[in-house]
């Protein structure tokens, strides 16, 4: 039976991986992801989880081991953060190309330098184009649920792609929250054992990862891009079935008080909870504002996003990563590009906040909304606003 | 290169571009690449098999007399055999010679 617990969210993610009954975990500890793999190592060591835990010497090896493990048909998991994710970089592209359903948690953290262990989204925004399905959790319950959902989607035979579940480092990973954890028998109803379509097997030898000459590389890319785009329907269906079984329903794009709103804030991750408080306060003050949040980041949820911002005049996008020398934050850039061909679209303004663990407060969101409304009237700076930066 | 089976549309590629047929490298006629070929002087050859061992394309096989002869379907003319032969029994000749 599902039970309601008060638990550190990192440990909750480990519990989700346990009830998903993974076969192999290959991971290297890095703050703020450490508690997840540390707890998994404990679960394996004390016999609660029948899996191989491969303690590798780097994240490059962690992801390489995951490739090998998943290629043999084992349900495979890892987790990382920041510099660790960056060290995995070259292997990350290979996983979807080989169509391996590895699941990874990324505890989002700033990239150095300066050296910084705290939360923002610069690690994952640098990995936008790796071809993985990517979701963002807002709270502990969602982190648990999205982790279970990730295996279900990744291993679907029409998908067979890796999935990243993003959760904010410290502000989510290290907080104790009340949430419901499902037991193995319940999850077994949702997540059948992994049946690979093809795998490395000495009895039936195949080659994975052969060279893709110029005559085949484009087609190979097209094959898994097509699978990634089509995976959206599986992502949505798997959320629906999750809701039918466990009572919690999820959608690619979440909205809050968008009815009659003229200005929308757009956020991702745990900061959205603070944003909701800000929306409540601004609504009480008579402002027509609402919130839109991406839960699904890849594949980009075009239709759901267009629906969410329909009729809105102003969209203030809050990025948690910079694109130095570029036009705006990475999420704002994507949102603008997605909206460009729409017959009617809101004006999009880009705000970067919450870098390297800088606290984002209710007043920051109020500031963002009021600036966006001003820019919509009087024109905006060509690039983006860096919220909270001290000038002197 | 004889890899015409690679020239297909993306919908017909195997999952993740896996090669499902074991030993399919035999179909890759690396001999097409060659600009030089090895010529063996049987007077000097001591049948030590170093050419056979070192050939990166496994082109060498031993004949009934015990000499190692490169199969020109696969020999890409790299010259490793000629370079490694302890008796200088192998000489690389240009294809047109």
């Amino acid at each position: 039976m599902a039970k309601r617990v008060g638990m550190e969210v990192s440990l909750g993610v480990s519990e989700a991986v346990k009830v998903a009954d993974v076969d192999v975990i290959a991971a290297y500890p890095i703050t703020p992801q450490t508690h997840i793999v540390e707890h998994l190592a404990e679960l394996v060591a004390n016999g609660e989880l029948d899996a191989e835990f491969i303690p590798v010497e780097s994240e490059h090896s962690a992801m390489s081991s995951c490739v090998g493990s998943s290629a043999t048909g084992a349900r495979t998991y890892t987790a990382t953060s920041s510099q660790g994710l960056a060290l995995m970089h070259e292997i990350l592209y290979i996983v979807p190309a080989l169509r391996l359903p590895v699941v990874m948690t990324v505890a989002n953290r700033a990239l150095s330098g300066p050296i910084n262990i705290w939360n923002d989204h610069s690690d994952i925004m640098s990995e936008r184009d790796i071809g993985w399905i990517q979701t963002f959790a807002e709270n502990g319950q969602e982190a648990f649920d999205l982790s279970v959902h990730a295996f279900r989607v990744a291993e679907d035979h029409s998908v067979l792609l890796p999935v990243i579940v993003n959760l904010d480092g410290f502000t989510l990973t290290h907080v104790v929250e009340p949430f419901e954890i499902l037991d193995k028998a319940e999850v077994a109803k949702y997540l059948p054992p992994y049946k690979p379509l093809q795998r490395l097997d000495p009895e039936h030898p195949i080659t994975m990862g052969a060279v893709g000459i110029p005559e085949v590389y484009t087609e190979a890319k097209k094959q898994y891009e097509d699978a990634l785009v089509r995976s959206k329907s599986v992502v949505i269906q798997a959320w629906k079935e999750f809701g039918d079984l466990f009572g919690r329903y999820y959608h690619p794009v979440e909205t809050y008080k968008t009815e009659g709103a003229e200005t929308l804030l757009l956020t991702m991750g745990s900061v959205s909870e603070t944003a909701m408080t800000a929306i409540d306060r601004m609504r009480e003050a008579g402002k027509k504002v609402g919130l839109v949040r991406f839960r699904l980041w890849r594949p980009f949820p075009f239709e759901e996003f267009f629906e969410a911002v329909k009729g809105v005049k102003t969209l203030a996008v809050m990025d948690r990563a910079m694109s130095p020398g570029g036009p705006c934050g990475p999420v704002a850039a994507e949102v603008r590009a997605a909206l460009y061909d729409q017959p009617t679209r809101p004006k999009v303004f880009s705000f970067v906040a919450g870098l390297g663990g800088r606290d984002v407060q209710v007043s920051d969101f109020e500031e963002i909304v009021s600036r966006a409304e001003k820019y919509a009237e009087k024109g905006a700076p060509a690039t983006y606003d860096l919220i909270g930066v001290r000038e002197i | 290169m004889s890899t015409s089976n690679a020239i297909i549309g993306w919908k017909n590629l195997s999952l993740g571009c896996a090669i499902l047929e074991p030993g399919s490298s035999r179909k890759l006629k690396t001999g097409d690449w060659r600009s030089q070929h090895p010529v063996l002087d049987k007077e000097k050859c001591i049948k030590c098999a170093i050419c056979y061992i070192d050939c990166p394309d496994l082109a060498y096989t031993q004949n009934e007399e015990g000499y190692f002869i490169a199969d020109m379907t696969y020999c890409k003319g790299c010259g490793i055999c000629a370079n490694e032969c302890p008796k200088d029994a192998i000489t690389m000749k240009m294809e047109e010679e």
Side-chain angles (χ1 to χ4, degrees):
Chain A
M1 270 296 287
K3 59 177 178 183
R4 198 163 169 79
V5 294
M7 189 183 271
E8 186 188 309
V9 172
S10 285
L11 306 192
V13 170
S14 312
E15 291 293 324
V17 173
K18 182 185 88 178
V19 295
D21 200 21
V22 296
D23 301 310
V24 175
I25 301 151
Y28 190 85
I30 181 169
T31 303
Q33 153 269 29
T34 307
H35 292 182
I36 299 172
V37 293
E38 204 172 65
H39 189 55
L40 281 168
E42 278 171 5
L43 292 173
V44 172
N46 70 18
E48 270 186 75
L49 171 58
D50 181 20
E52 287 295 323
F53 190 101
I54 310 175
V56 287
E57 79 279 20
S58 77
E59 287 84 356
H60 192 279
S61 305
M63 191 45 67
S64 300
S65 302
C66 287
V67 168
S69 156
S70 187
T72 67
R75 182 172 283 170
T76 304
Y77 173 83
T78 189
T80 193
S81 199
S82 182
Q83 312 300 122
L85 185 66
L87 187 53
M88 287 179 177
H89 179 72
E90 60 166 330
I91 314 297
L92 294 175
Y93 284 79
I94 295 168
V95 189
L98 300 186
R99 306 296 296 276
L100 301 175
V102 174
V103 170
M104 171 160 69
T105 304
V106 177
N108 300 124
R109 164 186 148 181
L111 280 172
S112 303
I115 295 172
N116 181 295
I117 60 167
W118 294 273
N119 168 229
D120 71 24
H121 291 172
S122 52
D123 55 0
I124 195 63
M125 287 303 154
S126 307
E127 307 296 350
R128 187 189 62 176
D129 298 335
I130 52 177
W132 291 49
I133 294 165
Q134 295 191 31
T135 58
F136 278 78
E138 183 185 69
N139 54 42
Q141 185 69 66
E142 214 177 298
F144 183 95
D145 294 348
L146 293 186
S147 302
V148 174
H149 172 261
F151 288 101
R152 167 68 187 269
V153 171
E155 294 169 4
D156 188 290
H157 280 187
S158 69
V159 178
L160 289 172
L161 287 169
V163 180
I164 287 174
V165 179
N166 288 284
L167 56 151
D168 287 312
F170 291 115
T171 53
L172 195 49
T173 57
H174 283 53
V175 296
V176 175
E177 285 194 6
F179 54 93
E180 194 177 280
I181 57 173
L182 303 166
D183 67 30
K184 205 169 152 179
E186 286 172 307
V187 170
K189 282 185 270 176
Y190 178 70
L191 180 65
Y194 172 40
K195 290 199 178 69
L197 267 186
Q198 62 188 24
R199 66 187 191 93
L200 295 181
D201 174 4
E203 298 298 318
H204 305 281
I206 63 168
T207 300
M208 288 186 187
V211 66
I213 55 175
E215 289 82 353
V216 80
Y217 183 85
T218 306
E219 285 70 22
K221 284 287 185 191
K222 176 65 184 171
Q223 187 202 61
Y224 77 79
E225 202 253 356
D226 178 70
L228 182 62
V229 171
R230 284 188 297 106
S231 75
K232 194 178 84 174
S233 61
V234 179
V235 168
I236 293 168
Q237 179 62 23
W239 272 331
K240 187 187 175 296
E241 285 177 37
F242 188 94
D244 291 346
L245 274 170
F246 308 120
R248 291 183 294 276
Y249 289 89
Y250 294 106
H251 307 282
V253 174
E254 209 63 50
T255 56
Y256 181 70
K257 296 193 176 174
T258 51
E259 243 171 76
E262 292 179 356
T263 302
L264 290 185
L265 265 172
L266 192 152
T267 55
M268 286 160 82
S270 62
V271 80
S272 311
E273 301 215 322
T274 313
M276 283 193 276
T277 308
I279 296 295
D280 289 344
R281 274 185 29 180
M282 287 184 277
R283 279 279 182 179
E284 278 165 28
K287 284 196 166 204
K288 292 175 179 171
V289 294
L291 177 72
V292 55
R293 167 167 78 94
F294 284 127
R295 181 178 283 116
L296 180 65
W297 174 235
R298 280 293 183 276
F300 191 90
F302 291 99
E303 292 81 6
E304 294 78 3
F305 171 63
F306 295 151
E307 185 60 30
V309 300
K310 209 161 121 186
V312 170
K313 287 181 187 166
T314 309
L315 182 62
V317 180
M318 196 200 105
D319 261 288
R320 311 224 30 214
M322 285 175 80
S323 174
C328 55
V331 179
E334 297 237 337
V335 161
R336 274 191 184 140
L339 287 169
Y340 188 79
D341 282 332
Q342 294 300 296
T344 60
R345 55 176 189 253
K347 286 187 173 171
V348 178
F349 302 106
S350 173
F351 300 89
V352 175
L355 296 182
R358 180 70 62 88
D359 197 21
V360 186
Q361 301 180 350
V362 169
S363 57
D364 293 318
F365 288 111
E366 290 171 333
E367 171 75 15
I368 288 171
V369 167
S370 90
R371 284 201 206 184
E373 286 174 342
K374 191 182 82 187
Y375 295 157
E377 292 277 314
K378 296 176 181 167
T383 55
Y384 60 89
D385 282 8
L386 192 52
I387 297 296
V389 66
R390 288 186 299 276
E391 297 290 343
I392 45 170
Chain B
M1 276 166 50
S2 307
T3 52
S4 58
N5 58 343
I7 315 301
I8 55 173
W10 65 272
K11 289 176 186 171
N12 292 320
L13 284 179
S14 60
L15 186 75
C17 263
I19 298 170
L20 305 174
E21 181 192 345
S24 62
S25 60
R26 285 194 195 94
K27 290 181 178 172
L28 192 65
K29 311 295 187 203
T30 43
D32 290 3
W33 305 358
R34 199 173 56 245
S35 58
Q36 297 179 56
H37 61 276
V39 175
L40 178 65
D41 181 347
K42 288 182 179 171
E43 294 296 311
K44 291 182 183 171
C45 177
I46 56 167
K47 303 174 183 173
C48 69
I50 285 178
C51 54
Y52 168 80
I53 293 163
D54 286 351
C55 177
D57 276 293
L58 311 179
Y60 275 94
T61 48
Q62 197 169 20
N63 70 11
E64 283 171 3
E65 292 175 83
Y67 293 108
F68 292 90
I69 307 298
D71 180 344
M72 289 301 119
T73 314
Y74 297 108
C75 170
K76 65 188 177 198
C78 69
I80 288 174
C81 52
N83 201 52
E84 297 301 325
C85 178
K87 292 293 176 186
D88 293 331
I90 302 172
T91 322
M92 297 305 289
K93 298 279 188 202
M94 294 303 288
E95 279 300 294
E96 63 265 27
E97 285 175 29

